[in-house]
Structure formats: C-alpha cells, structure tokens
Amino acid sequence: LAGHVIKPEVANWIVRQALTGVVTAGTGTKAASKNWQVFGKTGTANIARSDQKGYDQTNYIYSIWQAKDSILDDDILLLHGDLVYEKGLAQRIINHPQSCALVKKTGSVPEKDFKARLRNNLITEIGVNVFGEDARFCLPFYKFKKHDFNLWFEEINRFVEKGETRCYAENAFNNISDKITLHPLYYDHQFATEIDDFEDLKKTRDFLKTHHI
C-alpha cells in the first residue's frame, strides 16, 4: 500500500530470511526458491490462458489451481495479500515442524475477518462466517507440509471442476479438514491484522507511527 503499511525493512527481512528467489510481477512463473515454493496474486495473475476464466472473475482458489505444476512437490507457505504482521510471527511459522496457521489465543473475534474453529486443539474450519465459543481470530497465514497441501489441492481441484471458483480456497479445506492435521500456532500480544477497508488502513497506519514491528 504505497509503502505506508509494510515497512521496507520488514519486506527486506522476509526476502532475506524466508525466500531465496525473486517473484517477478505479473510473469506467472515459479519463483526460484531454495526451500519454498512461492506463488500468489503477483506470481499467478497471468497464468490463465485467454480461453480460460479471467483473473478478475475468480477468487484465489483458481490462482492456486493454475499454479498446480509448480506447487505440489514441497512444503508451502501460503498467505493472503492483505496482511500486516510482526516479522517474528513469520519466523515462528517458518520454523514450525507441522502444518499450522496463525491463531490469536485470546480476545474477541472480528466480524468481517477470518476465524478458525478449534476442536481438540486442531483447526477444523476456517472462514469469515465462523463464530461460536470455539472460534478464534485466524490470520490467513499458513504453512502446509507437502502431504497436507496435496490433500487440500485435490479438493481445490474438485471445486474447480465443478466451476466453484469464486469462493475462498478455505472452503475446500473445510470440506476435508478431518483429513488434514492443521495446528493452531498461537500468538497473543504481537501485532497482526488484515486490511480490508480504509478503516483498517488508518488503524494500521496509526499503529505503525508509534510501534516498530
């Protein structure tokens, strides 16, 4: 967001510590990476052929599906593009030995943001419309072991075959969450948020004026 939300030193740290390659804007090519497969809205925007659905007509579930030739042979980090978080959280999720997602341990759940449903200390559902005593705020920043991600992708593939490409990829996860062991990686006092509107942007800017993350 014009350099106002993600500070340069944070972006540089992510590249220096988590990635060893460079994602070229709009190329649709796989990023050269030593330890991770990297893709996202920047890296997959132009993968779709002209005879396929346009990128503006689908959600990122279709971007994942389009990147299938590059992302199924290793563990993977997956995060939404509207997140702001302390760099220590990224290091924790990278170092975690199992499939996991960032979950806020305490506090109220936001109405419009992603939540995770927890049962037996595992994540069984992720979505905006997840509420209840067993729901917690979930920052959509995930690490998946290869086996778990491939199970998720098989369900994503079924969604695409049925033409269900306007939904979140998390919908596909929810269908098969009983087959995937996704652990909550708890945090509490560290800063982490989604930016969905101008109110979120203002709150984040105000926070960054007085805090170093």
Side-chain angles (χ1 to χ4, degrees):
L1 295 173
H4 294 291
V5 174
I6 300 179
K7 294 183 178 180
E9 57 266 30
V10 176
N12 290 336
W13 181 89
I14 293 172
V15 173
R16 186 171 62 252
Q17 297 294 329
L19 310 178
T20 60
V22 177
V23 179
T24 302
T27 63
T29 59
K30 175 183 174 183
S33 175
K34 182 178 180 181
N35 295 317
W36 306 100
Q37 307 292 347
V38 183
F39 71 101
K41 287 189 175 181
T42 297
T44 61
N46 291 341
I47 285 180
R49 299 193 304 271
S50 59
D51 61 339
Q52 293 179 322
K53 296 179 179 179
Y55 184 73
D56 61 344
Q57 300 172 352
T58 60
N59 209 313
Y60 88 95
I61 186 173
Y62 195 62
S63 296
I64 294 177
W65 184 82
Q66 290 284 11
K68 56 186 176 293
D69 293 335
S70 301
I71 61 175
L72 299 179
D73 59 352
D74 207 343
D75 299 345
I76 192 166
L77 294 175
L78 174 67
L79 59 155
H80 290 200
D82 58 354
L83 310 183
V84 179
Y85 49 86
E86 293 189 32
K87 63 183 181 182
L89 293 176
Q91 189 64 66
R92 287 183 61 200
I93 202 166
I94 289 168
N95 293 338
H96 198 282
Q98 298 169 307
S99 298
C100 60
L102 287 172
V103 174
K104 189 169 177 60
K105 192 170 186 178
T106 62
S108 60
V109 295
E111 183 78 19
K112 65 178 181 56
D113 293 331
F114 274 70
K115 279 82 68 178
R117 191 174 310 283
L118 301 172
R119 291 177 180 167
N120 298 320
N121 207 35
L122 293 175
I123 296 173
T124 61
E125 185 181 5
I126 301 172
V128 174
N129 297 316
V130 175
F131 296 99
E133 294 182 356
D134 53 0
R136 297 289 184 275
F137 171 63
C138 176
L139 195 74
F141 188 165
Y142 314 113
K143 174 181 178 179
F144 279 93
K145 303 297 289 183
K146 175 183 175 181
H147 172 72
D148 291 329
F149 185 77
N150 284 353
L151 288 174
W152 186 16
F153 185 84
E154 289 175 4
E155 188 64 17
I156 287 173
N157 188 61
R158 283 189 277 270
F159 269 59
V160 173
E161 288 179 343
K162 294 185 294 184
E164 297 181 20
T165 57
R166 291 182 177 269
C167 62
Y168 290 111
E170 284 83 354
N171 290 30
F173 166 81
N174 294 340
N175 275 9
I176 58 163
S177 63
D178 60 325
K179 300 178 181 178
I180 297 176
T181 304
L182 185 62
H183 296 265
L185 180 57
Y186 291 114
Y187 72 96
D188 210 347
H189 302 296
Q190 296 96 330
F191 183 80
T193 189
E194 293 186 64
I195 298 181
D196 298 315
D197 53 34
F198 287 110
E199 182 179 352
D200 291 340
L201 179 59
K202 183 181 184 304
K203 288 180 180 178
T204 302
R205 282 177 170 171
D206 290 344
F207 180 87
L208 292 177
K209 288 177 182 178
T210 56
H211 296 78
H212 178 73
I213 66 170

